[in-house]
Amino acid sequence: MRTRSVLVVLYDGVQSLDVTGPLEVFAGAGTAAGEPDAYRVTTAAQGGEPVRTCSGLRLLPDEDLADVGPVHTLVIPGGDGTRDPDPALVARIRELAGRAERVVSVCTGAFLLAAAGLLAGRRATTHWAYCDALARRFPDIEVDPDPIHVRDGHIATSAGVTAGIDLALALVEEDLGRDTALLIARHLVVFLRRPGNQAQFSTQLAAQVAARHPLREVQQWIAEHPEDDLSVETLARRSALSPRHFARAFTAEVGVTPGRYVDGVRLEAARRRLEDTDDGIEEIARACGYGTPEAMRRAFVRALAAPPAEYRRRFRPNRTPCPTGEDH
């Protein structure tokens, strides 16, 4: 079997999980496949010196970045150190990427690829909280804030920490097959595998906690009762405000309209039940406030580009058959 070299670049201010997540996937995949030499994983930093991660963890690289030869897969993790990177680091990344078969970034590692000119004219993503900044700073990149990872040619970019694991699993599946990727995913106790076009759920994640107590109580009520009537009129009554005043105050304090917030909560609730239970599609639709399976199907296709049954298959490849209603 061909041995694929994987190089993870280290630098001061790197995010430790951006390093160790993909590293554990590649390092364990060969063993899972019964081919210990499937990947040769190394780390390198400028001067071969130890680096300090943004959490304070000290990492000792295997090599001096200047001495590294051509690699198959170049992995650029994110972290605070991407904000004002050393030009020499950026230049070396550019050189290594020019000879690599695959180039991968995790989270804000996309900023280093962009600074090296590697994403110009390409579609890319990063953590949802930094997508606007990436687009403003590098307008020649087509920044897509929704997917958890994006592949454009031989360059792949991913969202936050766990999305780097998803991307690494996708690459292992490409190299060694689905069974191997599934084995290593089970070993790491992660799902195999979130599809790259799955949304980052940025609206829900970015939503703020309201400052006023009545509005915070409404947010909690929505999360605990997605099946209830969550119209503006009903929620306004719970907060003792007029519908117009409630809608305006909620949007100002939470950052999204009540309707979009409810949509996000219901989608998240349905997504979890599809992943964690054997409940039928019709039952989940009722329990999460969609009313009908067709309404839930439309919401999933709109947000995730996959109907509920397909979403469940991707997340639970070995699940037991579910009750009727699974064909929606």
Side-chain angles (χ1 to χ4, degrees), residues 84-97:
D84 187 22
D86 183 342
L89 173 65
V90 173
R92 186 59 177 143
I93 288 172
R94 185 186 305 114
E95 292 173 2
L96 290 169

Side-chain angles (χ1 to χ4, degrees), residues 15 52 292:
Q15 161 63 258
R52 186 75 65 178
T292 67

Side-chain angles (χ1 to χ4, degrees), residues 57-280:
L57 181 67
R58 190 169 178 265
L59 299 178
L60 179 65
D62 298 310
E63 300 182 61
D64 184 337
L65 196 60
D67 297 334
V68 174
V71 297
H72 179 275
T73 301
L74 177 66
V75 179
I76 310 298
D80 293 345
T82 63
R83 293 175 182 172
D84 187 22
D86 183 342
L89 173 65
V90 173
R92 186 59 177 143
I93 288 172
R94 185 186 305 114
E95 292 173 2
L96 290 169
R99 294 182 289 171
E101 293 190 32
R102 289 191 304 222
V103 180
V104 175
S105 71
V106 183
C107 197
T108 54
F111 282 82
L112 292 178
L113 296 187
L118 299 170
L119 298 182
R122 295 183 185 272
R123 179 168 167 259
T125 194
T126 186
H127 189 289
W128 60 266
Y130 300 99
C131 283
D132 286 346
L134 183 64
R136 286 195 306 271
R137 187 171 170 186
F138 301 98
D140 54 354
I141 300 173
E142 182 188 344
V143 179
D144 190 338
D146 290 327
I148 60 171
H149 57 80
V150 169
R151 188 85 173 264
D152 190 330
H154 74 296
I155 297 181
T157 53
S158 62
V161 171
T162 56
I165 295 176
D166 290 300
L167 177 52
L169 285 168
L171 297 177
V172 167
E173 182 174 350
E174 178 182 302
D175 296 339
L176 305 179
R178 181 178 176 83
D179 289 345
T180 296
L182 179 57
L183 282 173
I184 189 60
R186 285 173 173 166
H187 177 72
L188 296 175
V189 198
V190 296
F191 287 109
L192 176 77
R193 62 179 165 81
R194 288 188 296 174
N197 65 352
Q198 181 177 318
Q200 294 188 41
F201 303 104
S202 53
T203 298
Q204 185 67 11
L205 288 169
Q208 307 163 40
V209 176
R212 281 183 273 184
H213 182 68
L215 296 181
R216 289 201 304 273
E217 285 192 337
V218 166
Q219 284 182 281
Q220 186 66 27
W221 175 265
I222 292 171
E224 293 175 354
H225 302 87
E227 76 283 3
D228 280 11
D229 175 8
L230 300 178
S231 64
V232 167
E233 290 74 18
T234 299
L235 297 177
R237 284 196 296 271
R238 294 195 65 85
S239 61
L241 298 171
S242 70
R244 185 175 180 180
H245 187 189
F246 167 78
R248 187 165 53 243
F250 189 97
T251 302
E253 295 196 18
V254 178
V256 294
T257 65
R260 289 194 64 183
Y261 189 83
V262 168
D263 289 344
V265 168
R266 282 176 168 160
L267 184 69
E268 182 74 5
R271 188 174 68 90
R272 292 299 182 195
R273 292 188 69 143
L274 287 168
E275 294 169 6
D276 299 338
T277 76
D278 289 325
D279 295 344

Side-chain angles (χ1 to χ4, degrees), residues 280-295:
I281 299 294
E282 186 171 353
E283 181 181 354
I284 293 174
R286 288 196 307 268
C288 296
Y290 288 107
T292 67
E294 177 57 24

